[in-house]
Amino acid sequence: MSFTTRSFGLFAVLTLASLVACGDDSSSGGAGGAGGSGGDAAGPGSTSAGTGVTSGVTTSGATTGSATTGVTTSVTAGTGVTGTGGGDTTTSTATGSTGSGSCDIFCSDFEDGALPSEVQFYPEYLRASMGDYVTLDSTGHSGSRSVKVSGTGFSQMLGVPVPSTFWGRIYLKGDSASQMGHNTYIAATTGDGDPNNGEDIRIGEHQCQLELNRKSDDKEMLSNGGMYMCSGGVKLAADTWYCLEFHYNGPGREVRVFVDGAEVEAMHVTDWGPYDYKLFKFGFEKYHGGNKTMWYDDIALGTERIGCDT
């Protein structure tokens, strides 16, 4: 089943920039490591398999999702990504896992063997070495392929142009459970894709749970309600697909987050902004903690909530 995307103008890319500076996050050298964030010391990533989403969610809408136990699975070596995006193609494919809403901004299940032209790698100064971080892997949520991001440096993200208000849904899994260290999975940014530019509102992991984080002042909303400890909150198990939904309303100052159809109330904010978002980004951005490999599939961005139906 195919869906037509609405193309947006490509953004100008920057030349080599210094690495990110956001709150307590700092980096040095090359593509950079990073320092502390959120006021706690760096800690090792958690490697124990969990039992799916454990707490911190309020049921809202149809709850679906994939595996609920942290069963380890083998991963077949992936294939290289063809090109770096930016072509003239304006059609991407999805497999019907778009729920009741419409992915009228962008959607893809990555089954075509190449990244859709709307998708660009960031930061731009590492784009020539994109193949070291991003492949189309032969494991998928709904089909035979997904995007595999090897989080081994500071920032390896893929970006899609978006309006200032949008809904989104993406399936993701990681090779380790939620880490104690602070890292990002997805973000909406007002900038041009470089992690140093603009405001980033980021969804990722910290203190062994899902969290929401603002780059400019490092303000953070932990899914356990704000306790800086690996207790409670929404914990993502290793090697398990999750449906992550999000609503970014830049002018309305609102962000909402859902996991497997259930809203994470502790991550709902109504006073961050106003912002004029330009890009939605997904991949891995590491501030402190261990490296991590992430898989993403069945991405859908639209003007209405899309859902987790498969």
Side-chain angles (χ1 to χ4, degrees):
M1 183 173 182
S2 296
F3 295 84
T4 300
T5 62
R6 185 176 69 196
S7 295
F8 290 82
L10 296 176
F11 293 88
V13 295
L14 299 179
T15 56
L16 178 62
S18 60
L19 295 177
V20 72
C22 60
D24 290 333
D25 296 340
S26 60
S27 56
S28 62
S37 174
D40 70 318
S46 171
T47 57
S48 60
T51 56
V53 179
T54 56
S55 63
V57 296
T58 302
T59 301
S60 174
T63 300
T64 57
S66 300
T68 56
T69 58
V71 179
T72 301
T73 58
S74 61
V75 177
T76 306
T79 57
V81 176
T82 302
T84 60
D88 295 329
T89 303
T90 58
T91 300
S92 306
T93 61
T95 59
S97 54
T98 54
S100 58
S102 171
C103 57
D104 52 356
I105 296 174
F106 173 85
C107 58
S108 181
D109 59 6
F110 308 108
E111 293 296 303
D112 286 346
L115 288 178
S117 62
E118 297 91 341
V119 178
Q120 291 281 354
F121 180 81
Y122 297 97
E124 186 273 338
Y125 58 81
L126 290 179
R127 195 168 291 165
S129 58
M130 168 183 171
D132 295 339
Y133 307 109
V134 178
T135 57
L136 290 180
D137 194 60
S138 57
T139 179
H141 166 257
S142 63
S144 60
R145 290 185 184 275
S146 64
V147 175
K148 178 181 178 181
V149 180
S150 299
T152 57
F154 159 56
S155 181
Q156 300 89 38
M157 302 287 277
L158 296 166
V160 180
V162 290
S164 59
T165 299
F166 65 97
W167 284 86
R169 189 280 320 281
I170 197 167
Y171 283 86
L172 77 165
K173 72 172 181 175
D175 67 346
S176 65
S178 301
Q179 295 190 29
M180 181 185 292
H182 184 197
N183 309 298
T184 288
Y185 306 145
I186 72 167
T189 180
T190 65
D192 57 7
D194 188 288
N196 293 293
N197 299 331
E199 179 67 280
D200 292 351
I201 305 300
R202 312 179 289 201
I203 300 172
E205 61 187 13
H206 198 191
Q207 293 294 321
C208 314
Q209 63 193 279
L210 201 66
E211 56 89 53
L212 181 71
N213 175 246
R214 180 166 60 186
K215 184 187 79 170
S216 58
D217 59 0
D218 210 27
K219 186 174 179 62
E220 186 168 40
M221 308 297 289
L222 293 170
S223 56
N224 69 3
M227 298 179 292
Y228 274 84
M229 59 183 67
C230 286
S231 176
V234 178
K235 300 181 183 300
L236 305 186
D239 301 304
T240 303
W241 285 108
Y242 292 93
C243 174
L244 179 65
E245 295 179 88
F246 37 91
H247 178 49
Y248 284 98
N249 183 346
R253 306 169 183 257
E254 184 177 27
V255 183
R256 299 173 68 187
V257 181
F258 305 76
V259 178
D260 289 344
E263 184 163 12
V264 186
E265 294 288 354
M267 295 171 63
H268 181 198
V269 298
T270 58
D271 59 353
W272 286 15
Y275 300 127
D276 183 14
Y277 297 122
K278 297 293 193 299
L279 285 173
F280 166 71
K281 297 168 68 178
F282 64 99
F284 195 68
E285 199 164 272
K286 181 176 71 172
Y287 314 123
H288 60 78
N291 294 337
K292 192 163 188 169
T293 299
M294 298 291 299
W295 287 263
Y296 296 94
D297 201 0
D298 296 324
I299 179 175
L301 305 174
T303 53
E304 298 179 355
R305 186 177 176 185
I306 296 162
C308 295
D309 297 344
T310 56

